[in-house]
Each structure stands twice: as structure tokens, then as C-alpha cells.
Amino acid sequence: GQQLNQSPQSMFIQEGEDVSMNCTSSSIFNTWLWYKQDPGEGPVLLIALYKAGELTSNGRLTAQFGITRKDSFLNISASIPSDVGIYFCAGQEMNRDDKIIFGKGTRLHILP
Amino acid sequence: GAVVSQHPSWVICKSGTSVKIECRSLDFQATTMFWYRQFPKQSLMLMATSNEGSKATYEQGVEKDKFLINHASLTLSTLTVTSAHPEDSSFYICSAKRGVGGSPATQYFGPGTRLLVL
């Protein structure tokens, strides 16, 4: 099946810094999704991307669907303490309308 | 809107016992629900797709006789871990899809159930 490579695995930043993380795939995805998971909770959708090249923002978050449809990035500007958590990229598998494949996650830590 | 709940939020059981986890869509009907498993510091892995009124579809490598899924109504799916063993200890997360077809972004996730098998 399709797999997603997400990087970096973890990040340690200062409050106020910008953050960037990305996902790549060896094959094409129809839809890219970015989720945030807080400890002990289920993932919450941040941004959904549907078209190659699409750039979408949600507050301080910006994500783009790569032109090749094999990659996506998520940027967080001016990080704040509540941004701490695990960010997952996810994609809709080809020919499986409902199946979502998750990346391994990027753990964001904000240093005091 | 689009709230999904799970019960219980955590459970501890003895090895060999069965555990039932409920997933409910509180403010919408879900013909399709999904069950995921997440081990510590790992990603979410889809276990099975649950369709109301029909048999669940299991992903490769998931034992259907061990993980029994029942989607008896448009707002409730249950996952029963039968004869649980310590290696079944994990975080189980469900999602419910609002509507039919469309984007996977219409899947809403529950808060998860942490299972610890002693």
C-alpha cells in the first residue's frame, strides 16, 4: 500500500518561532490532510487540500498540496504554547475513497 | 457539530477477557465508521471499516475473529477485543464519516480509548 514519509520526527523550538514540516509519498494522493493530536486525544483536522498546487491557510497555519501530488508541507507561524502536540499528515489512498493513510507524525515541543 | 464520542476512555483488563469499546456519532448519522489502533509514539493504523447493517471490512493482517465489529445503527459502532492479551494494549481510535462519498475530510475522530491488558 501507499506510505507517507513525514519529517522531521520531532522539533524543539522557542515560542514565537515559525515551524515547517513536510510529507512525501512515492505515489500520488488525491487528497492531503493535516491533523493535530494532543496527548490522549484523537486527531483533529487542521487543513484539507484537494488540488495540486493548492495553498490553504487556517489562521497561523498554511499548507500546500505539491504540484506532483506526492508531497505537502505545513507551516506554523509565530508558534505559541498551545501548538505543542503531534502533527500528522495524511492522504486519501488512490481507489479507496474513505481510507486515510497517516504519516508517522511530527512531535512539536516548545522550549520555555 | 460533528462530535464523536468513545466509551470507555480507558480500560484495564486481565489477559484472556474481552473488552467492548463503543463509538458514537452524537449529532450526525454515520453509515461508515472506522477503527484505528495507535501504539505509543506511532502513527494511526486503520484496522477496519464498519458499515451500518453489513459486515466490517478488515485491513490486511487484522484478525476479524479477534476484533469483532458491530455497526448496528447509524450512530453506534462497537469494537470488541476478544481474549485480550498484553500485546493488544494500545490506543484505539474510531472515526465516523458524515454523509456518503465525498472527501475523507468528513471523517471525524473520537477521543480514543486506551486499553491496558495485564
Side-chain angles (χ1 to χ4, degrees), chain B residues 29-100:
Chain B
Q29 294 184 330
T31 56
T32 305
M33 291 185 174
F34 305 86
W35 287 96
Y36 294 81
R37 180 167 52 182
Q38 184 180 29
F39 291 108
K41 297 188 178 182
Q42 298 293 319
S43 186
L44 283 75
M45 297 298 293
L46 180 65
M47 298 174 65
T49 302
S50 167
N51 295 296
E52 188 267 337
S54 64
K55 290 183 179 180
T57 303
Y58 291 82
E59 295 300 305
Q60 191 173 9
V62 178
E63 299 176 58
K64 62 180 181 180
D65 294 331
K66 180 168 185 62
F67 299 99
L68 301 179
I69 291 172
N70 186 5
H71 194 156
S73 78
L74 289 173
T75 59
L76 173 64
S77 175
T78 60
L79 169 69
T80 301
V81 183
T82 61
S83 187
H85 291 284
E87 58 265 29
D88 298 322
S89 299
S90 187
F91 194 47
Y92 292 86
I93 305 172
C94 74
S95 71
K97 184 172 175 63
R98 184 165 62 181
V100 178

Coordinates of all heavy atoms in Angstrom, one line a residue, chain B residues 29-100:
Chain B
Q29 N -25.6 11.3 11.5 CA -25.6 9.9 11.2 C -24.4 9.4 10.4 O -24.0 10.2 9.5 CB -26.9 9.5 10.5 CG -28.2 9.8 11.3 CD -29.4 9.4 10.6 OE1 -29.5 9.4 9.4 NE2 -30.4 8.9 11.3
A30 N -23.9 8.3 10.7 CA -22.7 7.8 10.1 C -22.9 6.4 9.5 O -23.0 5.4 10.3 CB -21.5 7.8 11.1
T31 N -23.0 6.3 8.2 CA -23.2 5.0 7.6 C -21.9 4.2 7.7 O -21.9 3.0 7.6 CB -23.7 5.1 6.2 OG1 -22.8 5.9 5.5 CG2 -25.1 5.6 6.1
T32 N -20.8 5.0 7.8 CA -19.5 4.3 7.8 C -18.7 4.9 9.0 O -18.6 6.1 9.2 CB -18.7 4.6 6.5 OG1 -19.5 4.2 5.4 CG2 -17.4 3.8 6.5
M33 N -18.1 3.9 9.7 CA -17.2 4.3 10.8 C -15.9 3.5 10.6 O -15.9 2.5 10.0 CB -17.8 4.0 12.2 CG -19.0 4.9 12.5 SD -19.6 4.6 14.2 CE -20.8 5.9 14.4
F34 N -14.9 4.0 11.2 CA -13.5 3.4 11.1 C -12.9 3.2 12.4 O -13.1 4.0 13.4 CB -12.6 4.3 10.2 CG -13.2 4.7 8.9 CD1 -14.0 5.8 8.8 CD2 -12.9 3.9 7.8 CE1 -14.6 6.1 7.6 CE2 -13.4 4.3 6.5 CZ -14.3 5.4 6.4
W35 N -12.1 2.1 12.5 CA -11.4 1.8 13.8 C -9.9 1.8 13.5 O -9.5 1.1 12.6 CB -11.9 0.4 14.4 CG -13.2 0.5 15.0 CD1 -14.4 0.1 14.4 CD2 -13.5 1.0 16.3 NE1 -15.4 0.4 15.3 CE2 -14.9 0.9 16.4 CE3 -12.8 1.5 17.4 CZ2 -15.6 1.2 17.6 CZ3 -13.5 1.8 18.5 CH2 -14.8 1.7 18.6
Y36 N -9.2 2.6 14.3 CA -7.8 2.7 14.2 C -7.1 2.2 15.5 O -7.7 2.2 16.6 CB -7.3 4.1 14.0 CG -7.8 4.8 12.6 CD1 -9.1 5.3 12.5 CD2 -6.9 4.9 11.6 CE1 -9.5 5.8 11.3 CE2 -7.3 5.4 10.4 CZ -8.6 5.9 10.2 OH -9.0 6.5 9.1
R37 N -5.9 1.8 15.4 CA -5.1 1.5 16.5 C -3.8 2.3 16.5 O -3.2 2.5 15.4 CB -4.8 0.0 16.5 CG -3.9 -0.5 17.7 CD -4.0 -2.0 17.8 NE -3.6 -2.7 16.5 CZ -3.6 -4.0 16.3 NH1 -3.9 -4.8 17.3 NH2 -3.2 -4.5 15.2
Q38 N -3.4 2.8 17.6 CA -2.2 3.6 17.7 C -1.3 3.1 18.9 O -1.7 3.3 20.0 CB -2.5 5.1 17.9 CG -1.3 6.0 17.8 CD -1.7 7.5 18.0 OE1 -2.7 7.8 18.6 NE2 -0.9 8.4 17.4
F39 N -0.1 2.6 18.6 CA 0.8 2.2 19.6 C 1.6 3.4 20.0 O 1.7 4.4 19.3 CB 1.7 1.1 19.1 CG 1.0 -0.2 18.9 CD1 0.7 -0.7 17.6 CD2 0.5 -0.9 20.0 CE1 0.0 -1.9 17.5 CE2 -0.2 -2.1 19.8 CZ -0.4 -2.6 18.6
P40 N 2.2 3.4 21.2 CA 2.9 4.6 21.7 C 3.9 5.1 20.7 O 4.7 4.4 20.1 CB 3.6 4.1 23.0 CG 2.7 3.0 23.4 CD 2.2 2.3 22.2
K41 N 3.9 6.4 20.5 CA 4.8 7.1 19.6 C 4.7 6.6 18.2 O 5.7 6.7 17.4 CB 6.2 7.1 20.2 CG 6.3 7.8 21.5 CD 7.8 7.9 21.9 CE 7.9 8.7 23.3 NZ 9.2 8.8 23.7
Q42 N 3.6 6.0 17.8 CA 3.4 5.6 16.5 C 2.3 6.3 15.8 O 1.6 7.1 16.4 CB 3.2 4.0 16.5 CG 4.3 3.2 17.0 CD 5.5 3.2 16.2 OE1 5.4 3.2 14.9 NE2 6.7 3.4 16.8
S43 N 2.1 6.0 14.5 CA 1.0 6.6 13.8 C -0.3 5.8 14.0 O -0.3 4.8 14.6 CB 1.4 6.6 12.3 OG 0.4 7.4 11.6
L44 N -1.4 6.4 13.5 CA -2.6 5.6 13.5 C -2.7 4.7 12.3 O -2.3 5.0 11.2 CB -3.8 6.6 13.3 CG -4.3 7.5 14.4 CD1 -3.3 8.6 14.7 CD2 -5.7 8.0 14.2
M45 N -3.1 3.4 12.6 CA -3.2 2.4 11.6 C -4.6 1.9 11.5 O -5.2 1.6 12.5 CB -2.3 1.2 12.0 CG -0.8 1.6 12.0 SD -0.1 2.1 10.4 CE -0.3 0.6 9.5
L46 N -5.2 2.0 10.3 CA -6.5 1.6 10.1 C -6.7 0.1 10.3 O -5.9 -0.7 9.8 CB -7.0 1.9 8.7 CG -8.5 1.6 8.3 CD1 -9.5 2.3 9.2 CD2 -8.7 1.8 6.9
M47 N -7.6 -0.3 11.2 CA -7.9 -1.7 11.4 C -9.0 -2.2 10.5 O -8.9 -3.3 9.9 CB -8.2 -2.0 12.9 CG -7.2 -1.6 13.9 SD -7.8 -1.7 15.6 CE -8.1 -3.5 15.7
A48 N -10.1 -1.5 10.5 CA -11.3 -2.0 9.8 C -12.2 -0.8 9.5 O -12.2 0.2 10.2 CB -12.0 -3.0 10.6
T49 N -13.0 -1.1 8.5 CA -14.1 -0.1 8.1 C -15.4 -0.8 8.5 O -15.7 -1.9 8.1 CB -14.0 0.2 6.6 OG1 -12.8 0.7 6.3 CG2 -15.1 1.1 6.2
S50 N -16.2 0.0 9.2 CA -17.5 -0.6 9.7 C -18.6 0.1 8.9 O -18.8 1.3 8.9 CB -17.6 -0.3 11.2 OG -18.9 -0.5 11.7
N51 N -19.5 -0.7 8.3 CA -20.6 -0.2 7.6 C -21.9 -0.6 8.2 O -22.1 -1.8 8.6 CB -20.6 -0.7 6.1 CG -19.4 -0.2 5.4 OD1 -19.3 1.0 5.1 ND2 -18.6 -1.1 4.9
E52 N -22.8 0.4 8.4 CA -24.1 0.1 9.1 C -24.9 -1.0 8.4 O -25.1 -0.9 7.2 CB -24.9 1.4 9.2 CG -26.1 1.3 10.0 CD -27.4 0.9 9.2 OE1 -27.4 1.2 8.0 OE2 -28.3 0.4 9.8
G53 N -25.2 -2.0 9.1 CA -26.1 -3.1 8.6 C -25.3 -4.1 7.7 O -26.0 -5.0 7.2
S54 N -24.0 -4.0 7.7 CA -23.3 -5.0 6.9 C -22.0 -5.4 7.6 O -21.6 -4.8 8.6 CB -23.0 -4.6 5.5 OG -22.1 -3.4 5.5
K55 N -21.3 -6.4 7.1 CA -20.1 -6.8 7.8 C -19.0 -5.8 7.6 O -18.9 -5.1 6.6 CB -19.7 -8.2 7.2 CG -20.6 -9.3 7.5 CD -20.0 -10.6 6.9 CE -20.9 -11.8 7.3 NZ -20.3 -13.1 6.8
A56 N -18.1 -5.8 8.6 CA -17.0 -4.9 8.5 C -15.9 -5.4 7.5 O -15.8 -6.6 7.3 CB -16.3 -4.7 9.9
T57 N -15.2 -4.5 7.0 CA -14.1 -4.8 6.1 C -12.8 -4.6 6.9 O -12.5 -3.5 7.3 CB -14.1 -3.9 4.9 OG1 -15.3 -4.0 4.2 CG2 -12.9 -4.3 3.9
Y58 N -12.0 -5.7 7.0 CA -10.8 -5.6 7.8 C -9.5 -5.4 6.9 O -9.4 -5.9 5.8 CB -10.6 -6.9 8.6 CG -11.6 -7.1 9.7 CD1 -12.9 -7.5 9.4 CD2 -11.3 -6.7 11.0 CE1 -13.8 -7.7 10.4 CE2 -12.2 -6.9 12.0 CZ -13.5 -7.3 11.7 OH -14.4 -7.5 12.7
E59 N -8.6 -4.6 7.4 CA -7.3 -4.4 6.7 C -6.5 -5.7 6.8 O -6.6 -6.5 7.7 CB -6.6 -3.2 7.3 CG -7.3 -1.9 7.1 CD -7.5 -1.6 5.6 OE1 -6.5 -1.5 4.9 OE2 -8.7 -1.3 5.2
Q60 N -5.6 -5.8 5.9 CA -4.7 -6.9 5.9 C -3.9 -7.1 7.2 O -3.4 -6.1 7.7 CB -3.7 -6.8 4.7 CG -2.9 -8.1 4.4 CD -2.1 -7.9 3.1 OE1 -2.0 -6.8 2.6 NE2 -1.6 -9.0 2.7
G61 N -3.9 -8.3 7.7 CA -3.2 -8.5 9.0 C -4.0 -8.3 10.2 O -3.5 -8.6 11.3
V62 N -5.2 -7.9 10.1 CA -6.1 -7.7 11.3 C -7.0 -8.9 11.4 O -7.7 -9.2 10.5 CB -6.9 -6.4 11.2 CG1 -7.8 -6.2 12.4 CG2 -5.9 -5.2 11.1
E63 N -7.0 -9.5 12.6 CA -7.8 -10.8 12.7 C -9.2 -10.4 13.0 O -9.6 -9.8 14.1 CB -7.2 -11.6 13.9 CG -5.8 -12.0 13.8 CD -5.3 -12.7 15.0 OE1 -6.0 -13.7 15.4 OE2 -4.3 -12.3 15.6
K64 N -10.1 -10.8 12.1 CA -11.5 -10.4 12.3 C -12.2 -11.1 13.4 O -13.1 -10.6 14.0 CB -12.3 -10.6 11.0 CG -12.3 -12.1 10.5 CD -13.1 -12.2 9.2 CE -13.2 -13.6 8.8 NZ -13.9 -13.8 7.5
D65 N -11.7 -12.3 13.8 CA -12.3 -13.1 14.9 C -11.8 -12.6 16.2 O -12.4 -12.9 17.2 CB -11.9 -14.6 14.7 CG -12.5 -15.2 13.5 OD1 -13.6 -14.7 13.1 OD2 -12.0 -16.1 13.0
K66 N -10.7 -11.8 16.2 CA -10.2 -11.2 17.5 C -10.8 -9.9 17.7 O -11.1 -9.5 18.8 CB -8.7 -11.2 17.4 CG -8.1 -10.6 18.7 CD -6.7 -10.8 18.8 CE -6.1 -10.3 20.1 NZ -6.7 -11.1 21.2
F67 N -11.0 -9.1 16.7 CA -11.5 -7.8 16.8 C -12.9 -7.7 16.1 O -13.0 -7.5 14.9 CB -10.6 -6.8 16.1 CG -9.2 -6.7 16.7 CD1 -8.2 -7.4 16.2 CD2 -9.0 -6.0 17.9 CE1 -6.9 -7.3 16.8 CE2 -7.7 -5.9 18.5 CZ -6.7 -6.6 17.9
L68 N -13.9 -8.0 16.9 CA -15.3 -8.0 16.4 C -15.9 -6.7 16.3 O -15.9 -5.9 17.3 CB -16.1 -8.9 17.3 CG -15.7 -10.4 17.5 CD1 -16.6 -11.1 18.4 CD2 -15.5 -11.1 16.2
I69 N -16.5 -6.3 15.2 CA -17.0 -5.0 14.9 C -18.5 -5.2 14.6 O -18.9 -6.0 13.8 CB -16.3 -4.3 13.8 CG1 -14.9 -3.9 14.3 CG2 -17.1 -3.0 13.4 CD1 -14.0 -3.3 13.2
N70 N -19.3 -4.4 15.3 CA -20.8 -4.4 15.0 C -21.2 -2.9 14.8 O -21.0 -2.1 15.7 CB -21.5 -5.0 16.2 CG -23.0 -5.1 16.0 OD1 -23.5 -4.8 14.9 ND2 -23.7 -5.5 17.0
H71 N -21.8 -2.7 13.7 CA -22.3 -1.3 13.4 C -23.9 -1.4 13.3 O -24.4 -1.4 12.2 CB -21.7 -0.8 12.1 CG -21.8 0.6 11.9 ND1 -21.0 1.3 11.1 CD2 -22.7 1.5 12.3 CE1 -21.3 2.6 11.0 NE2 -22.4 2.7 11.7
A72 N -24.5 -1.5 14.4 CA -25.9 -1.8 14.5 C -26.9 -0.7 14.1 O -28.0 -0.9 13.8 CB -26.3 -2.4 15.8
S73 N -26.4 0.6 14.3 CA -27.2 1.7 14.0 C -26.4 2.8 13.3 O -25.2 2.6 13.2 CB -27.8 2.3 15.3 OG -26.9 3.0 16.0
L74 N -27.0 3.8 12.9 CA -26.3 4.9 12.2 C -25.5 5.8 13.1 O -24.9 6.7 12.6 CB -27.3 5.7 11.4 CG -27.9 5.0 10.1 CD1 -29.0 5.9 9.5 CD2 -26.9 4.8 9.1
T75 N -25.6 5.5 14.4 CA -24.8 6.4 15.3 C -23.9 5.6 16.2 O -23.3 6.1 17.1 CB -25.8 7.2 16.2 OG1 -26.7 6.4 16.9 CG2 -26.6 8.2 15.3
L76 N -23.9 4.3 16.1 CA -23.1 3.4 17.0 C -22.4 2.3 16.3 O -23.0 1.5 15.6 CB -24.0 2.9 18.1 CG -23.4 1.9 19.0 CD1 -22.3 2.5 19.9 CD2 -24.5 1.2 19.9
S77 N -21.1 2.2 16.6 CA -20.3 1.1 16.2 C -19.5 0.6 17.4 O -19.1 1.4 18.3 CB -19.3 1.5 15.1 OG -18.4 0.4 14.8
T78 N -19.4 -0.7 17.6 CA -18.7 -1.2 18.7 C -17.5 -2.1 18.2 O -17.6 -2.8 17.2 CB -19.6 -2.1 19.6 OG1 -20.1 -3.2 18.9 CG2 -20.7 -1.2 20.2
L79 N -16.4 -2.1 18.9 CA -15.3 -2.9 18.7 C -15.1 -3.8 19.9 O -15.0 -3.2 21.0 CB -14.0 -2.1 18.5 CG -12.7 -2.8 18.5 CD1 -12.6 -3.7 17.2 CD2 -11.5 -1.8 18.5
T80 N -15.1 -5.1 19.8 CA -14.8 -6.0 20.9 C -13.5 -6.7 20.7 O -13.3 -7.4 19.7 CB -16.0 -7.0 21.0 OG1 -17.2 -6.4 21.2 CG2 -15.7 -7.9 22.2
V81 N -12.6 -6.5 21.6 CA -11.3 -7.2 21.6 C -11.5 -8.5 22.4 O -11.7 -8.4 23.6 CB -10.2 -6.3 22.2 CG1 -8.9 -7.0 22.1 CG2 -10.2 -5.0 21.6
T82 N -11.5 -9.6 21.7 CA -11.8 -10.9 22.3 C -10.5 -11.5 22.8 O -9.5 -11.4 22.2 CB -12.5 -11.8 21.4 OG1 -11.7 -12.1 20.3 CG2 -13.8 -11.2 20.9
S83 N -10.6 -12.1 24.0 CA -9.5 -12.8 24.6 C -8.2 -11.9 24.5 O -7.2 -12.3 23.9 CB -9.2 -14.2 23.9 OG -8.2 -14.9 24.6
A84 N -8.4 -10.8 25.1 CA -7.3 -9.8 25.0 C -6.0 -10.3 25.7 O -6.0 -11.0 26.7 CB -7.7 -8.5 25.7
H85 N -4.9 -9.9 25.1 CA -3.5 -10.2 25.6 C -2.7 -8.9 25.7 O -3.1 -7.9 25.1 CB -2.9 -11.2 24.7 CG -3.5 -12.6 24.7 ND1 -3.3 -13.5 25.7 CD2 -4.3 -13.2 23.8 CE1 -4.0 -14.6 25.5 NE2 -4.6 -14.4 24.3
P86 N -1.7 -9.0 26.5 CA -0.9 -7.7 26.7 C -0.5 -7.0 25.4 O -0.4 -5.8 25.3 CB 0.3 -8.2 27.5 CG -0.2 -9.4 28.3 CD -1.2 -10.0 27.3
E87 N -0.2 -7.8 24.3 CA 0.2 -7.1 23.1 C -1.0 -6.4 22.4 O -0.8 -5.6 21.4 CB 0.7 -8.2 22.1 CG -0.2 -9.3 21.8 CD 0.0 -10.5 22.6 OE1 0.4 -10.4 23.8 OE2 -0.3 -11.7 22.1
D88 N -2.2 -6.6 22.9 CA -3.3 -5.8 22.4 C -3.5 -4.4 23.1 O -4.3 -3.6 22.7 CB -4.7 -6.6 22.6 CG -4.7 -7.9 21.9 OD1 -4.2 -7.9 20.7 OD2 -5.2 -8.9 22.4
S89 N -2.6 -4.2 24.1 CA -2.7 -2.9 24.8 C -2.3 -1.8 23.8 O -1.3 -1.9 23.1 CB -1.6 -2.9 25.9 OG -2.0 -3.9 26.9
S90 N -3.1 -0.8 23.7 CA -2.9 0.2 22.6 C -4.0 1.3 22.9 O -4.8 1.2 23.8 CB -3.1 -0.4 21.2 OG -2.7 0.5 20.2
F91 N -3.9 2.3 22.0 CA -4.9 3.4 22.0 C -5.8 3.1 20.8 O -5.3 3.1 19.6 CB -4.1 4.7 21.9 CG -4.9 5.9 22.1 CD1 -5.8 6.0 23.3 CD2 -4.9 7.0 21.3 CE1 -6.5 7.1 23.5 CE2 -5.6 8.2 21.6 CZ -6.4 8.2 22.7
Y92 N -7.0 2.9 21.0 CA -8.0 2.6 19.9 C -8.8 3.8 19.6 O -9.4 4.4 20.5 CB -8.9 1.4 20.3 CG -8.1 0.1 20.4 CD1 -7.5 -0.3 21.5 CD2 -8.0 -0.7 19.3 CE1 -6.7 -1.4 21.6 CE2 -7.3 -1.9 19.3 CZ -6.6 -2.2 20.5 OH -5.9 -3.4 20.5
I93 N -8.8 4.3 18.4 CA -9.5 5.5 18.0 C -10.5 5.2 16.9 O -10.1 4.5 15.9 CB -8.5 6.6 17.5 CG1 -7.4 6.8 18.5 CG2 -9.2 7.8 17.1 CD1 -6.3 7.7 18.0
C94 N -11.7 5.7 17.0 CA -12.7 5.5 15.9 C -12.9 6.8 15.2 O -12.5 7.9 15.7 CB -14.0 5.0 16.5 SG -15.0 6.2 17.4
S95 N -13.4 6.7 14.0 CA -13.8 7.9 13.3 C -15.1 7.6 12.6 O -15.5 6.4 12.4 CB -12.8 8.4 12.3 OG -12.7 7.5 11.2
A96 N -15.9 8.6 12.4 CA -17.2 8.5 11.8 C -17.3 9.4 10.6 O -16.9 10.6 10.7 CB -18.3 8.8 12.8
K97 N -17.8 8.9 9.5 CA -17.9 9.7 8.3 C -19.3 10.2 8.2 O -20.3 9.5 8.2 CB -17.6 8.8 7.1 CG -17.6 9.6 5.8 CD -17.1 8.7 4.6 CE -17.1 9.5 3.3 NZ -16.3 10.7 3.3
R98 N -19.4 11.5 8.0 CA -20.6 12.2 7.8 C -21.0 12.2 6.4 O -20.2 12.6 5.5 CB -20.6 13.6 8.4 CG -22.0 14.3 8.3 CD -22.0 15.6 9.2 NE -21.1 16.6 8.7 CZ -20.9 17.8 9.3 NH1 -21.6 18.0 10.4 NH2 -20.0 18.6 8.8
G99 N -22.1 11.7 6.0 CA -22.6 11.6 4.6 C -22.0 10.4 3.9 O -21.2 9.6 4.5
V100 N -22.3 10.4 2.7 CA -21.8 9.2 1.8 C -20.9 9.8 0.7 O -21.2 10.8 0.1 CB -23.0 8.5 1.2 CG1 -22.5 7.4 0.3 CG2 -23.9 8.0 2.3

